[in-house]
Amino acid sequence: MTSRILFVCLGNICRSPAAEGVFHALGTGAETDSAGTAGWHVGKPPYGPMQAAALARGYDLSDLRARQFEAGDFDRFDMILGMDDTNIADIETLRPAGNTTSVRLFTDFAPECGMDHVPDPYYTRDFDGALDLIEVAARGLAATT
Ligand code: 4NP
């Protein structure tokens, strides 16, 4: 059983905190966290427009704070989920020798959406489109945990 799941994006203020909040709301009992491969926003809450879009669907992200992904996360989590291929590549650069933790794309859990990444709403400004995809992937992930 996968019980500790880490969601990772670039800044840890849009996609991965949203994924964490949406997945947590499904009440699987899994331990969850999120992190960014970049350290630009460490200590900050999720981006305001993402918080607003999430809250409109009932997800309160206001208590989350950004942190940077680190090598120790490979030992702390059973599964690490990146939002795009760049996240996956950046995560893999920190994998300790001999570590076998599963690192996958979050969109693997939403095959019906036909997407190979979660488009970054920090750039696209499509916060609801990102949340639509995140909700489907979160339900798919919950069905496997
Ligand atoms: P995220 O989006 O990776 O989904 O949190 C971003 C947020 C901020 C920046 C880039 C991506 N930034 O360049 O500050």
Side-chain angles (χ1 to χ4, degrees), residues 16-113:
S16 63
E20 178 187 359
V22 169
F23 181 74
H24 183 78
L26 294 174
T28 64
E31 183 186 316
T32 57
D33 195 8
S34 66
T37 57
W40 306 315
H41 301 287
V42 169
K44 290 189 197 159
Y47 189 49
M50 178 52 97
Q51 280 202 53
L55 194 57
R57 298 177 186 220
Y59 309 112
D60 183 354
L61 308 181
S62 62
D63 285 343
L64 301 178
R65 294 293 178 271
R67 72 170 179 91
Q68 189 165 17
F69 180 77
E70 58 190 23
D73 288 321
F74 279 98
D75 293 324
R76 285 194 282 270
F77 294 92
D78 303 302
M79 183 179 283
I80 299 170
L81 297 172
M83 300 296 134
D84 59 39
D85 283 339
T86 303
N87 301 153
I88 301 283
D90 290 342
I91 290 165
E92 289 292 354
T93 64
L94 293 177
R95 185 190 288 275
N99 177 276
T100 59
T101 301
S102 176
V103 175
R104 298 180 61 181
L105 280 169
F106 187 41
T107 49
D108 286 354
F109 296 92
E112 62 270 54
C113 294

Side-chain angles (χ1 to χ4, degrees), residues 9-15 40-41 120 122-123:
C9 62
L10 176 59
N12 195 207
I13 57 170
C14 287
R15 294 166 296 172
W40 306 315
H41 301 287
D120 192 340
Y122 191 76
Y123 301 115

